Amino acid sequence: MAEIVIDGIPYSFEGKPKLLDFILSKNKDVPFFCYHPSMSAPANCRMCMVKVGQYVKNRETGDYELDDQGERRIRWFPKLQTSCNMDMMDDMIVHTHETDDLVKRAHKDTLEMILINHPLDCPICDQAGECPLQIQTYKYGPEGSRFEVKKQHKPKHVQLGPRVTLDAERCINCTRCTRFTDEISQSHQLTITRRGDKNHPTTAPGTVFDDPYSMNTIDLCPVGALTSTDFRFKARVWEMNQTPGLDITNGKGVNVDLWTRDNVVLRITPRHNPHVNEYWMTDKGRDAIHLYNEQRLSTPAIRLHPNDSSLVMTSWDNAYQTTQEIVESTDTKQILVLGSPYASVEENGAWMQFSESILKQSPSYTTHIEKESGDDFLLVDDQAPNTYGCELLGLKKRTKAAFKKAVAEAKVILSLHDDYIERGWLSEEEIKGKTWIYFGTNHTQMAKAATLTIPITCAVEHTASYVNVDQRIQRTYPAKETKYTNRRLDLEMSEGRLDRFGTKFDHWVNEDHKVDCKPLWEIVGDLSLLWGHTLSYRHGRDVLDALASNIPALEGVTYQAMDDQRGILLTSSETQEASS
Amino acid sequence: MSQKSSDNGASLSQNGTSAYTFTKEQLAEIEVLKTKYPEVQAVTLPVLWMAQDTFGHVDPEVQRLVAYTLDLPESHVHGVAEFYTQYFKTPKGKHVLDVCTCLSCHLCGGMDTLGYLENKLGIKAGETTPDGEFTLQEAECLGACGYAPMMQITNDVYVNHLTPEKVDQVLDQLASGDTPDFESIPMPLVSTTSNNEAAGGSDE
Amino acid sequence: MSDWTTYEPVLIPNIAGLDRLETYRKHGGYDALHAVLHDQNTWPDPASVVQEVKEANIRGRGGAGFNAGLKWSFMPPVDGGPRYLACNGDESEPGTFKDRKIFEYNPFLFIEGATIAAYAMSITSIYVYIRGEYRSWIHKMEKAVSDAYDAGLLGQNILGSDFSVDLVLHSGAGAYICGEETSLLESLEGKRGYPRVKPPFPAQRGLWGRPTTINNIETLSNVPGVIRNGADWFKSIGAESHPGPILYGISGHVNRPGVYELPSGMPVMTLIEEVAQGMRNGKKLKAIIPGGSSTPILPAKDLEDLTMDADALRGAGSMMGTAGMVVMDEDTDIVETLWRISKFYHHESCGQCTPCREGTGWLEKILEKVVTGQGTTRDLDLLLDITSQMEGRTICALADAAAWPVRYTISRFRDEFEARCKPSLIPVG
Ligand SMILES: Cc1cc2nc3c(=O)[nH]c(=O)nc-3n(C[C@H](O)[C@H](O)[C@H](O)COP(=O)(O)O)c2cc1C
Ligand code: SF4
Ligand code: SF4
Ligand code: FES
Ligand code: FES
């Protein structure tokens, strides 16, 4: 094993790690901009300088050469080195800014240079508060600027594509964005244009940056040069809170962070998971903010007369009683219960139990696969986040034809989530005359056509797990409060500054952002009480525990285990590990 | 500057269209160029040159033609065209006068030459005369430092040892549709034992 | 040193029509390549050629002055894959205009040299990168290359041997930075000319990831002579530590500017007074820039016994560079001259790395302030500070090339700068 001494402390290492990576992994700091662990290292920002040397060994004997004081002699590199592209070698001696003034000076100098043509508009910049340039300038930068001549001006608010806006004056030319489109998404839509201090990223004239992964460049950009067209100027980062979650817009199970303020999801960013999505996510997945915030079903609603064009709000009690009346007045053979790959494992599990104990039948489900819509990366054909979860629970899968037949034969349908109309599987004509009770999250076409709608929590309002296309089970956390939850009491919820200090008398706090909906497991618990059954689940965890003790594939699967292992692969030995 | 026609090379039609086209001969020439390098990308510069020599510039439309022809990303061709100063990213005058004002030329009156041309043409460096005849540009060192002041004409011949009279003469020549000849500047004689006037052969 | 007045040029001898292949061959051209390929006794293997060239100590004429043979010896063992020689004819450093003389007057000497180098390093393809502005000279080279192919001197089975190599001419398109060897490789690969981070060095991973050697045109043109006459002959020419013929480019305020082939180690004053026939209009000499714009300026008082070779110039506080000497007379405005040099580097920085992208522009803008009388003495110290923030901190040496002139011109002509500045008592840092 090889050894290296960093700031006087020896470390051993194997292989050929890059110096910067290694130093960071030891919880020490070296400032950097252009380096990214998933991409090539152009070493162009010149920020990550360290002083490097090596002990001198006698060629013949292999012994260390000693100086007059009897200390090992060190041969220093004549210049400071960038650590991001430096391969570690045995007997290396490294000084970071902590132990070398020249390194400290280099950091200060580089920051001064970066800032001379920078607009210094942090007060109006989206990146402020999470900006590596801002942070490093505070930590390592010069006290003031000595730049008293004219700044180089470059294009501002350039719409690079439908979702990404560029302010070239803020750009520090780290080339992370162009390397992303060259090396990761491989759309090659971006290039650096011009030369010297006129350099900045751009698309070819007349082309747009519509790469399905384009918004990753916003996260990658170490300054506020690339911003989200949608999110621009919406919020300061320190006003939001960040909750881990999952991208439910397809079956890949991309790990995300949900950024909320006053119970509105303002943006979604990828969360690193080496097993699933590395550092990336699709642009489509970020669009889910609209799904979570807008057009939500809130408070149950009922169609009073079959010919009414719309539904009217009703109470939860009335919704439950109506459900009971409908079910009890119908032969169970004429009732169809539909589970959904859009709903979590816990929801489908509770749904199944309710259906089996009260409606005397197993729910069935249909998959939503769009052939050819996937790529080799994070887009997959499976449009739903939990198809494997349904399979795992033993829900009966129906083909489109079988599904249509079952719907045609049923009088009463209880369905979850899926919008069969939007998908083109059912027409409104085909549902006419049927009693359709829809348990959903949004004002979908299905909701509009239903007889009764019961609003359930969406993926950002509850804790629940989803099994992705690779059969990895992962879970969500509640990021948004509903009318019935409270972040101060629910320890799984995070609190941002405004959540902590706002009261409902403050103009920035808005009760309307809380949706009147309940987790499905609570709803079926309440419903089953009407039949004298007690199916009471307070939390997704209760459902999962019950399922884990019944379903072999889920043995040992807990939220804790999912958190510890960044999700659990259900097909491999990882499950066993989890249970042992 | 013809519209894209259907019979003009497979590589172009695959990807899209450009307002410009290469001739069949040019496409064949590009195929030959490609054989000289292990990767297609390497012909980006030569093909941009070919395009500029044909269309007079490599504006975004021409860049697109190059990208389609070589089946390379448009952004790549654009980034390359923008990096190199000799490529004209916008159409220029019929004659482009690149006057060197760099170190040696600066010492020997390059700025005066530029000023003389600005006055004479009634435009500033970087501009084109209203009749579209001349574009005047300030250039960095062109590798003719000993023959300062000098200028290059439309990316081609150098005219050296400029004086106002010589500038006038060159402009007249260009205006009359003629281009100055290549000036072979012999190596001055150093050896006292030799009786030739100058070392190095002449052009012919 | 030997009497320069009797020196017989070898790179560009005084023979008319050497740019015609038959003339070139009539005067011993291609004898060296023939010997290397066929004279088994003298040249048993490619390594023996590398050894001789190393022995001759041809110090790179592109600016860095590195022993060419030693550089060749860094090429890894042959593994059956392609290996490249990239010939650097970018010639864009202000004050430098010598390689074009070879293209024009003795193209086959260079082609022969490159072919021998290719044989010595088992190169499979030679690429000759010529700056795009040299269109006229590229045309001359195209003719020469095609003649060489026709005569079986390039291509398959050269001179009937089993050695084959191709030579491709590649035109640049206006970018000084492409003279930097790794930027040149990027440009050859069809990209923006961004210099590469080293390591890996081109000998390990060069063109298309394969072993590559980069040499200047003049460097390679010295190779046939070394092969024909031996390393000792070469070492007997000029200065001991930096031997061989040199194409001195002399420009600026002299009576007879131009390119002169003379032995290395020529006394600077001889070059000015005798070779270039003295100062124009009888003016007095003020300073020279000895080897292209990046080499530190030397005031006249330091030139008395100075010779043009790497060691002597280093001793005097400058460098040999490309031996493109720029001569300035007493009327020269040093402040404005420095501003013009800085403008050049600002224009040519590729913009990849922070200190160079930002620093070159900052230098130029402050100097512009000083030139127009808006500067303060504090600005001068700031300029010096900025140079220290650029030197040794970047991917390639352009930042150093931009910093050196500023550092040394201000320190050596401080009074002239101060005379243009308002005083300032605020310290700079
Ligand atoms: C900014 C910069 C520009 C350069 N320009 C040239 C050039 O125009 N021609 C050249 O031969 N070498 C140039 N060089 C030097 C090359 O990098 C390289 O050292 C040289 O081509 C190697 O050949 P040699 O060893 O035969 O001199 C330049 C170097 C730098 C840093
Ligand atoms: S826009 Fe951002 S990511 Fe792209 S080069 Fe500039 S600073 Fe880097
Ligand atoms: S030093 Fe300058 S020219 Fe060289 S790579 Fe860096 S920015 Fe480009
Ligand atoms: S992080 Fe190392 S140079 Fe940018
Ligand atoms: S300075 Fe004008 S050609 Fe070199």
Side-chain angles (χ1 to χ4, degrees):
Chain A
M1 190 170 292
E3 208 175 82
I4 183 167
V5 182
I6 303 171
D7 291 335
I9 301 166
Y11 299 90
S12 50
F13 68 95
E14 277 174 84
K16 254 197 185 176
K18 295 286 182 211
L19 187 53
L20 176 65
D21 237 0
F22 187 82
I23 298 177
L24 296 175
S25 76
K26 298 296 164 205
N27 273 328
K28 289 170 67 79
D29 195 27
V30 169
F32 67 96
F33 294 113
C34 66
Y35 176 74
H36 190 283
S38 289
M39 302 192 288
S40 61
N44 60 28
C45 75
R46 314 307 289 172
M47 193 64 218
C48 63
M49 296 278 191
V50 289
K51 182 176 170 185
V52 182
Q54 205 170 13
Y55 288 129
V56 187
K57 273 184 176 165
N58 186 300
R59 282 261 172 76
E60 271 100 65
T61 61
D63 294 338
Y64 291 108
E65 283 183 18
L66 303 179
D67 64 12
D68 300 343
Q69 270 84 48
E71 301 281 334
R72 287 181 187 173
R73 268 201 23 227
I74 300 170
R75 188 181 299 119
W76 295 104
F77 276 71
K79 299 172 185 174
L80 297 181
Q81 299 291 311
T82 47
S83 55
C84 63
N85 64 327
M86 167 131 282
D87 286 323
M88 281 172 45
M89 289 180 293
D90 196 14
D91 283 335
M92 231 181 199
I93 318 293
V94 180
H95 285 291
T96 71
H97 55 278
E98 285 178 27
T99 50
D100 189 278
D101 283 343
L102 201 63
V103 175
K104 212 182 262 176
R105 170 79 206 253
H107 292 167
K108 193 174 110 180
D109 289 349
T110 304
L111 281 163
E112 180 177 34
M113 290 285 193
I114 289 182
L115 292 168
I116 62 171
N117 282 314
H118 191 82
L120 306 174
D121 57 349
C122 310
I124 55 141
C125 177
D126 278 338
Q127 190 85 351
E130 56 177 9
C131 175
L133 178 58
Q134 200 181 34
I135 295 164
Q136 294 188 22
T137 302
Y138 271 99
K139 282 172 93 168
Y140 306 107
E143 281 102 64
S145 176
R146 299 176 294 177
F147 188 79
E148 291 161 355
V149 281
K150 234 176 123 184
K151 282 187 195 269
Q152 176 65 47
H153 290 295
K154 297 189 199 178
K156 293 181 89 75
H157 34 80
V158 181
Q159 195 68 51
L160 285 183
R163 298 173 289 275
V164 182
T165 305
L166 165 75
D167 180 329
E169 291 193 340
R170 292 182 187 152
C171 170
I172 63 165
N173 270 293
C174 69
T175 68
R176 277 177 164 203
C177 54
T178 55
R179 276 180 285 145
F180 177 82
T181 58
D182 282 341
E183 299 170 19
I184 307 290
S185 74
Q186 298 179 4
S187 70
H188 306 286
Q189 288 180 342
L190 295 181
T191 179
I192 301 285
T193 186
R194 317 284 306 264
R195 199 164 74 189
D197 57 10
K198 296 188 183 69
N199 269 3
H200 64 83
T202 183
T203 56
T207 66
V208 286
F209 183 36
D210 60 358
D211 184 321
Y213 299 95
S214 69
M215 293 173 84
N216 289 294
T217 58
I218 300 165
D219 311 329
L220 278 173
C221 181
V223 291
L226 297 175
T227 52
S228 159
T229 308
D230 197 26
F231 177 70
R232 236 160 101 80
F233 306 132
K234 287 259 167 68
R236 313 302 328 221
V237 286
W238 54 86
E239 297 171 337
M240 297 188 285
N241 50 24
Q242 184 185 6
T243 311
L246 295 173
D247 175 4
I248 54 146
T249 61
N250 72 22
K252 187 68 188 179
V254 165
N255 290 208
V256 300
D257 278 317
L258 300 146
W259 298 79
T260 55
R261 185 186 61 188
D262 191 22
N263 292 306
V264 178
V265 185
L266 290 175
R267 67 170 181 182
I268 301 176
T269 56
R271 184 162 45 97
H272 179 228
N273 186 337
H275 310 294
V276 183
N277 55 302
E278 281 282 340
Y279 301 88
W280 324 116
M281 75 179 294
T282 62
D283 288 2
K284 199 164 156 242
R286 302 188 196 235
D287 239 14
I289 56 169
H290 303 293
L291 200 67
Y292 301 141
N293 299 331
E294 297 158 22
Q295 296 289 314
R296 290 293 305 275
L297 288 181
S298 186
T299 311
I302 188 162
R303 193 182 305 273
L304 292 174
H305 188 274
N307 293 336
D308 283 359
S309 62
S310 60
L311 288 76
V312 293
M313 299 273 199
T314 184
S315 72
W316 285 91
D317 276 350
N318 188 40
Y320 291 160
Q321 274 167 26
T322 309
T323 308
Q324 188 190 20
E325 280 161 23
I326 293 169
V327 167
E328 292 201 326
S329 63
T330 316
D331 179 354
T332 48
K333 289 206 186 63
Q334 290 184 309
I335 300 178
L336 176 64
V337 188
L338 297 166
S340 170
Y342 281 97
S344 61
V345 171
E346 288 80 348
E347 289 168 291
N348 277 297
W351 189 238
M352 186 165 77
Q353 262 188 318
F354 168 71
S355 174
E356 282 172 353
S357 54
I358 291 160
L359 308 168
K360 307 294 173 220
Q361 63 169 295
S362 272
S364 56
Y365 77 106
T366 61
T367 59
H368 185 192
I369 311 285
E370 298 276 351
K371 288 249 160 61
E372 313 278 317
S373 65
D375 55 18
D376 296 340
F377 193 24
L378 301 177
L379 288 167
V380 292
D381 291 353
D382 192 343
Q383 304 298 299
N386 193 31
T387 305
Y388 276 96
C390 291
E391 197 169 298
L392 200 76
L393 291 171
L395 263 58
K396 187 167 144 206
K397 179 152 91 185
R398 284 188 204 267
T399 60
K400 183 175 176 184
F403 162 79
K404 287 185 79 107
K405 183 154 173 280
V407 170
E409 285 165 1
K411 255 180 83 177
V412 170
I413 296 130
L414 282 74
S415 85
L416 207 54
H417 256 297
D418 286 62
D419 190 346
Y420 303 107
I421 301 175
E422 154 97 58
R423 207 193 299 171
W425 283 30
L426 286 180
S427 66
E428 280 172 49
E429 208 47 43
E430 285 169 291
I431 342 183
K432 270 259 162 66
K434 301 196 187 289
T435 306
W436 195 298
I437 309 179
Y438 178 65
F439 295 73
T441 56
N442 292 74
H443 281 290
T444 56
Q445 306 259 45
M446 210 59 237
K448 286 182 189 124
T451 321
L452 175 63
T453 57
I454 298 187
I456 60 174
T457 48
C458 70
V460 300
E461 284 156 337
H462 59 221
T463 301
S465 38
Y466 297 80
V467 188
N468 80 353
V469 289
D470 304 312
Q471 306 194 31
R472 174 175 290 273
I473 186 166
Q474 313 180 94
R475 65 106 151 203
T476 61
Y477 290 79
K480 273 183 80 167
E481 288 173 327
T482 67
K483 285 261 187 283
Y484 309 101
T485 56
N486 184 322
R487 34 178 104 246
R488 300 236 167 130
L489 302 178
D490 184 343
L491 296 181
E492 278 197 320
M493 298 192 80
S494 53
E495 267 185 295
R497 241 183 83 206
L498 291 191
D499 298 322
R500 202 167 303 141
F501 303 113
T503 72
K504 59 168 163 263
F505 303 108
D506 293 322
H507 69 278
W508 63 79
V509 173
N510 195 337
E511 277 299 306
D512 292 352
H513 297 158
K514 296 181 187 172
V515 176
D516 183 10
C517 61
K518 294 180 183 179
L520 185 67
W521 47 85
E522 261 183 58
I523 294 172
V524 298
D526 291 347
L527 274 174
S528 53
L529 277 177
L530 299 180
W531 277 274
H533 287 258
T534 44
L535 230 173
S536 90
Y537 298 117
R538 290 288 92 210
H539 190 272
R541 181 179 296 113
D542 305 335
V543 189
L544 183 68
D545 287 348
L547 293 171
S549 55
N550 284 326
I551 299 170
L554 290 178
E555 205 187 309
V557 170
T558 61
Y559 292 146
Q560 188 62 49
M562 287 187 232
D563 292 350
D564 292 349
Q565 300 170 52
R566 332 289 309 267
I568 301 167
L569 198 60
L570 296 175
T571 49
S572 81
S573 51
E574 273 187 55
T575 345
Q576 269 80 49
E577 276 166 35
S579 55
S580 62
Chain B
M1 204 194 284
S2 61
Q3 284 300 308
K4 173 192 178 317
S5 61
S6 53
D7 64 337
N8 114 102
S11 43
L12 197 129
S13 49
Q14 268 172 16
N15 297 281
T17 54
S18 166
Y20 297 92
T21 51
F22 283 129
T23 62
K24 270 193 184 141
E25 292 70 33
Q26 285 176 316
L27 290 174
E29 204 179 316
I30 290 169
E31 289 311 309
V32 174
L33 271 175
K34 286 189 198 166
T35 63
K36 299 186 174 186
Y37 305 86
E39 281 173 18
V40 178
Q41 189 169 266
V43 303
T44 308
L45 269 72
V47 175
L48 277 169
W49 270 125
M50 180 189 278
Q52 177 152 311
D53 290 344
T54 311
F55 309 114
H57 57 82
V58 290
D59 77 355
E61 265 313 290
V62 178
Q63 293 166 23
R64 186 163 308 140
L65 170 73
V66 172
Y68 293 160
T69 308
L70 300 178
D71 206 4
L72 290 171
E74 282 179 62
S75 67
H76 164 77
V77 175
H78 179 64
V80 170
E82 287 281 344
F83 187 85
Y84 297 94
T85 49
Q86 282 193 287
Y87 294 132
F88 302 149
K89 272 72 74 177
T90 51
K92 302 271 153 156
K94 195 164 148 208
H95 308 288
V96 180
L97 309 178
D98 275 310
V99 183
C100 177
T101 61
C102 201
L103 177 56
S104 304
C105 290
H106 190 262
L107 290 173
C108 299
M111 286 309 283
D112 296 340
T113 309
L114 184 70
Y116 183 79
L117 273 157
E118 285 183 337
N119 271 339
K120 173 130 188 164
L121 297 173
I123 52 172
K124 291 260 166 276
E127 295 175 352
T128 301
T129 51
D131 61 3
E133 276 294 297
F134 295 101
T135 297
L136 186 61
Q137 302 192 135
E138 192 176 351
E140 292 299 345
C141 177
L142 290 163
C145 320
Y147 320 124
M150 58 77 63
M151 67 177 170
Q152 177 171 27
I153 297 177
T154 327
N155 284 329
D156 203 342
V157 290
Y158 284 13
V159 258
N160 309 284
H161 303 300
L162 291 176
T163 56
E165 297 73 45
K166 188 158 177 187
V167 169
D168 290 347
Q169 187 195 322
V170 170
L171 289 187
D172 289 345
Q173 203 177 354
L174 289 171
S176 71
D178 206 13
T179 30
D181 289 334
F182 173 77
E183 296 174 359
S184 183
I185 303 173
M187 303 259 293
L189 182 75
V190 283
S191 164
T192 49
T193 57
S194 167
N195 38 27
N196 283 359
E197 271 305 299
S202 71
D203 201 18
E204 273 315 301
Chain C
M1 72 169 292
S2 62
D3 184 7
W4 62 272
T5 55
T6 58
Y7 172 79
E8 283 298 332
V10 293
L11 293 172
I12 302 179
N14 186 15
I15 297 164
L18 259 194
D19 59 337
R20 285 195 293 268
L21 185 53
E22 65 279 13
T23 316
Y24 179 70
R25 292 190 84 161
K26 202 163 74 204
H27 288 88
Y30 278 104
D31 288 358
L33 180 65
H34 193 274
V36 158
L37 295 177
H38 294 292
D39 180 355
Q40 288 294 320
N41 293 330
T42 321
W43 309 106
D45 56 8
S48 61
V49 180
V50 176
Q51 186 53 39
E52 191 72 19
V53 174
K54 189 160 135 188
E55 184 58 37
N57 191 15
I58 311 175
R59 301 185 59 169
R61 307 297 200 236
F66 196 80
N67 181 327
L70 187 58
K71 190 189 277 188
W72 296 4
S73 71
F74 297 154
M75 288 289 273
V78 174
D79 63 0
R83 295 153 72 88
Y84 302 109
L85 173 65
C87 307
N88 192 343
D90 194 56
E91 186 146 274
S92 311
E93 169 103 344
T96 313
F97 53 112
K98 61 184 180 77
D99 293 338
R100 56 179 261 195
K101 294 291 172 189
I102 299 175
F103 296 144
E104 187 171 340
Y105 293 120
N106 208 353
F108 295 104
L109 179 71
F110 157 67
I111 296 172
E112 184 184 1
T115 313
I116 295 170
Y119 170 77
M121 293 181 276
S122 307
I123 298 294
T124 52
S125 294
I126 303 169
Y127 291 96
V128 184
Y129 189 99
I130 305 178
R131 65 179 298 181
E133 293 86 346
Y134 280 180
R135 176 169 286 207
S136 306
W137 291 271
I138 294 173
H139 287 325
K140 292 182 188 304
M141 283 301 290
E142 278 165 352
K143 164 116 181 32
V145 170
S146 126
D147 288 351
Y149 264 101
D150 291 347
L153 297 164
L154 281 173
Q156 294 299 304
N157 301 99
I158 292 171
L159 287 170
S161 72
D162 51 15
F163 175 65
S164 305
V165 74
D166 279 312
L167 186 149
V168 178
L169 295 173
H170 191 98
S171 166
Y176 161 68
I177 190 57
C178 292
E180 195 281 337
E181 55 187 20
T182 56
S183 166
L184 182 143
L185 301 184
E186 289 285 298
S187 187
L188 265 172
E189 289 183 9
K191 304 183 199 153
R192 294 165 61 80
Y194 280 172
R196 298 178 182 174
V197 247
K198 288 166 269 190
F201 291 94
Q204 293 131 29
R205 287 177 55 83
L207 277 173
W208 299 288
R210 297 291 308 166
T212 303
T213 292
I214 299 110
N215 272 129
N216 169 260
I217 302 298
E218 184 187 343
T219 309
L220 290 167
S221 302
N222 276 305
V223 171
V226 168
I227 295 302
R228 213 160 22 177
N229 307 319
D232 288 339
W233 164 82
F234 189 81
K235 283 195 288 185
S236 73
I237 302 170
E240 203 179 320
S241 63
H242 192 299
I246 300 280
L247 293 178
Y248 295 95
I250 306 178
S251 63
H253 302 140
V254 289
N255 278 320
R256 199 175 62 163
V259 177
Y260 298 87
E261 181 187 336
L262 287 165
S264 66
M266 285 287 292
V268 170
M269 291 317 294
T270 309
L271 285 173
I272 297 171
E273 296 297 345
E274 299 181 44
V275 176
Q277 296 179 353
M279 299 301 291
R280 215 193 262 182
N281 304 329
K283 295 277 180 190
K284 282 221 268 306
L285 174 65
K286 181 170 192 169
I288 64 157
I289 294 173
S293 57
S294 65
T295 56
I297 191 168
L298 293 169
K301 67 174 171 47
D302 293 349
L303 303 178
E304 200 76 2
D305 299 311
L306 187 62
T307 54
M308 284 288 281
D309 61 88
D311 287 355
L313 284 163
R314 189 165 340 100
S318 190
M319 282 175 296
M320 179 83 171
T322 59
M325 184 198 289
V326 183
V327 182
M328 288 166 268
D329 69 19
E330 54 189 326
D331 295 342
T332 307
D333 182 339
I334 291 286
V335 180
E336 196 173 310
T337 305
L338 178 62
W339 162 73
R340 189 60 189 83
I341 294 174
S342 289
K343 185 174 174 198
F344 170 78
Y345 288 106
H346 178 204
H347 186 258
E348 300 300 332
S349 165
C350 83
Q352 219 189 157
C353 30
T354 307
C356 173
R357 177 183 64 242
E358 307 296 342
T360 50
W362 197 1
L363 291 177
E364 190 211 325
K365 288 173 189 177
I366 298 177
L367 280 164
E368 192 182 331
K369 220 174 122 184
V370 175
V371 169
T372 54
Q374 309 297 309
T376 64
T377 48
R378 179 172 180 265
D379 285 323
L380 302 180
D381 294 327
L382 179 56
L383 284 166
L384 295 177
D385 229 27
I386 297 170
T387 61
S388 68
Q389 292 179 217
M390 297 167 67
E391 280 170 60
R393 302 258 180 93
T394 51
I395 293 176
C396 86
L398 186 137
D400 306 82
W404 292 327
V406 176
R407 166 184 299 273
Y408 293 105
T409 311
I410 293 181
S411 58
R412 288 171 191 172
F413 292 88
R414 177 104 191 181
D415 48 344
E416 292 197 27
F417 282 86
E418 285 188 351
R420 290 282 262 277
C421 288
K422 298 174 206 146
S424 165
L425 295 175
I426 310 166
V428 72

